[in-house]
Amino acid sequence: MIRGGSRYNYKVHEFAVAQSLLEIVEQEALPYSGARVTGITLRIGQLSAVVPDALRFAFEAITRGGIAEGASLEIEEVPLRIRCHQCEEVFTVDDPFMVCPRCEGSDVEMVSGRELEIRSMEIEDGDKAR
Amino acid sequence: MEIKLVKDILEANEVIAAQNRAFFTEQGVYVVNLMGSPGVGKTTLLERTAEGLRGSRRMAVIEGDIATSRDAERIAAHAIPAVQINTGGACHLDGNMVRGGLGQLDFGGIELLVVENVGNLVCPAEFNIGEDAKVMISSVAEGDDKPLKYPLMFQVSSVLLLNKVDLLPHVAFDLERFRADALKVNPRLEIMPISCSTGEGLDRWLRWLEERISAQGA
């Protein structure tokens, strides 16, 4: 049996990520007095250790009663892409391997897949402070 | 109204990690972020490391633990300065928690700081703490499928210590498969098979540390 409600849930690090996200959102909304944050778009890389559903759950829990209560989280999941320096080409890969799918060499670099980014937020009813 | 941003969500942590990093550099201390699952042998490795460096290099330890101070007590028994950070339920250490521990350590003469992260193969990989190197410890008792299940941790680590190799005759663990998968996830990973029970392979680990500590102090 799981006991302790929210305290138990804080053991997933998505809460830490959600908390950082909320701090950014509150900071950005600061110049708009009385604003409500209604939507947020994020990009999360496939290789990042963040599970989108867990992040949604955490964000919903910590935003209750605040300016971002009820804000929708639109999450774009970014595939893992690697550039092979030998083939001079970028590949989208399913497995988390730093190996070129064509030449099987390991002279590769990651192009995307580790993102934990906020891209935009939607606010309503705010007056830009002069 | 839409507000456009392109911001790393963990930027605040990155800022603190960079401040920790500057502090460590100023102190001339080499910092290892040690990560691995519960029971893999993180604290035992630190005990062996303390014994191996005794008389040559001065080491300190920050212990991340969800709630107890057992690990710090084990380390302190080796006459190594140790600070316990209780994460209060969090599954990883972040830059801010480590910063909180720094004030409790006297860095005079310390050349190596090992931060033992919370036992977990997922979350610690995402949070920098200002370390010079991330070192992961895995073991043959955990199975050979870990590189594919927890790729991020393998990907961010510089060194992979494979502990408990003395148990290889007793467990179904395909060392070659493990090694091949780990290197596919991170071709630059330095893999060191060790046994904290028998001492096998620990000389190589100590040499690796020694090279980094010398370079840092130079």
Side-chain angles (χ1 to χ4, degrees):
Chain A
M1 188 171 69
I2 295 172
R3 300 172 62 168
S6 65
R7 190 163 172 274
Y8 178 85
N9 292 320
Y10 264 90
K11 288 178 187 171
V12 299
H13 70 296
E14 278 82 358
F15 268 94
V17 175
Q19 191 61 48
S20 300
L21 175 60
L22 180 59
E23 281 163 20
I24 293 172
V25 165
E26 287 176 340
Q27 189 66 35
E28 294 292 334
L30 216 51
Y32 306 90
S33 64
R36 276 185 358 95
V37 179
T38 55
I40 300 165
T41 57
L42 306 175
R43 296 179 83 229
I44 296 187
Q46 183 191 320
L47 200 58
S48 86
V50 169
V51 178
D53 278 348
L55 181 61
R56 282 180 209 283
F57 175 79
F59 192 74
E60 195 188 312
I62 65 166
T63 49
R64 269 176 217 146
I67 63 161
E69 177 166 6
S72 65
L73 280 191
E74 188 183 316
I75 299 177
E76 179 195 345
E77 294 184 53
V78 185
L80 178 59
R81 292 161 76 228
I82 58 176
R83 173 179 289 114
C84 174
H85 293 293
Q86 292 307 313
C87 301
E88 291 184 350
E89 202 174 321
V90 172
F91 300 93
T92 300
V93 290
D94 290 331
D95 291 323
F97 296 153
M98 297 300 111
V99 176
C100 174
R102 180 178 298 158
C103 74
E104 296 185 355
S106 58
D107 184 12
V108 301
E109 64 172 319
M110 198 185 299
V111 178
S112 71
R114 284 221 42 202
E115 290 78 0
L116 268 185
E117 286 173 2
I118 173 168
R119 298 299 291 231
S120 69
M121 53 192 254
E122 189 69 33
I123 61 169
E124 262 175 22
D125 303 335
D127 299 317
K128 174 95 178 175
R130 275 171 297 232
Chain B
M1 184 180 77
E2 190 189 33
I3 300 175
K4 293 263 182 210
L5 308 159
V6 178
K7 248 189 176 171
D8 181 350
I9 297 173
L10 298 181
E11 187 184 76
N13 184 60
E14 290 300 315
V15 169
I16 297 171
Q19 289 165 354
N20 289 348
R21 186 90 194 75
F23 172 80
F24 295 141
T25 305
E26 191 189 301
Q27 299 291 328
V29 58
Y30 189 79
V31 181
V32 168
N33 180 359
L34 180 65
M35 307 180 292
S37 45
V40 72
K42 292 185 295 300
T43 310
T44 308
L45 173 75
L46 290 182
E47 292 179 296
R48 298 289 166 273
T49 305
E51 288 161 12
L53 295 177
R54 180 170 298 144
S56 61
R57 294 295 188 180
R58 293 190 59 194
M59 168 183 169
V61 168
I62 291 180
E63 285 285 348
D65 194 296
I66 288 179
T68 75
S69 61
R70 288 192 49 141
D71 290 351
E73 286 158 16
R74 278 173 64 186
I75 298 300
H78 292 262
I80 297 288
V83 170
Q84 182 79 41
I85 304 177
N86 283 338
T87 62
C91 49
H92 62 275
L93 290 175
D94 64 19
N96 196 39
M97 292 181 220
V98 169
R99 178 162 72 182
L102 296 181
Q104 301 171 52
L105 273 178
D106 175 8
F107 277 89
I110 297 296
E111 297 164 293
L112 170 68
L113 172 68
V114 183
V115 180
E116 182 183 330
N117 220 310
V118 180
N120 184 327
L121 290 181
V122 180
C123 321
E126 201 72 80
F127 294 84
N128 291 323
I129 56 171
E131 68 277 66
D132 290 285
K134 290 185 167 74
V135 171
M136 177 182 180
I137 177 168
S138 190
S139 85
V140 303
E142 293 170 275
D144 52 25
D145 57 354
K146 294 298 168 286
L148 300 186
K149 283 187 151 174
Y150 304 96
L152 183 61
M153 184 156 292
F154 285 82
Q155 219 254 322
V156 298
S157 296
S158 305
V159 173
L160 167 58
L161 298 163
L162 179 63
N163 194 19
K164 309 187 189 181
V165 289
D166 53 305
L167 297 181
L168 270 175
H170 310 290
V171 291
F173 185 93
D174 185 337
L175 183 55
E176 282 322 302
R177 176 184 152 189
F178 178 83
R179 193 190 292 270
D181 285 349
L183 288 174
K184 274 198 258 177
V185 171
N186 179 359
R188 284 181 287 276
L189 192 60
E190 200 166 331
I191 304 174
M192 304 184 194
I194 62 166
S195 166
C196 288
S197 301
T198 66
E200 181 183 346
L202 287 176
D203 48 342
R204 185 177 164 199
W205 160 241
L206 292 170
R207 266 203 314 280
W208 186 91
L209 280 175
E210 175 58 37
E211 284 165 18
R212 264 92 201 150
I213 297 167
S214 316
Q216 189 86 348

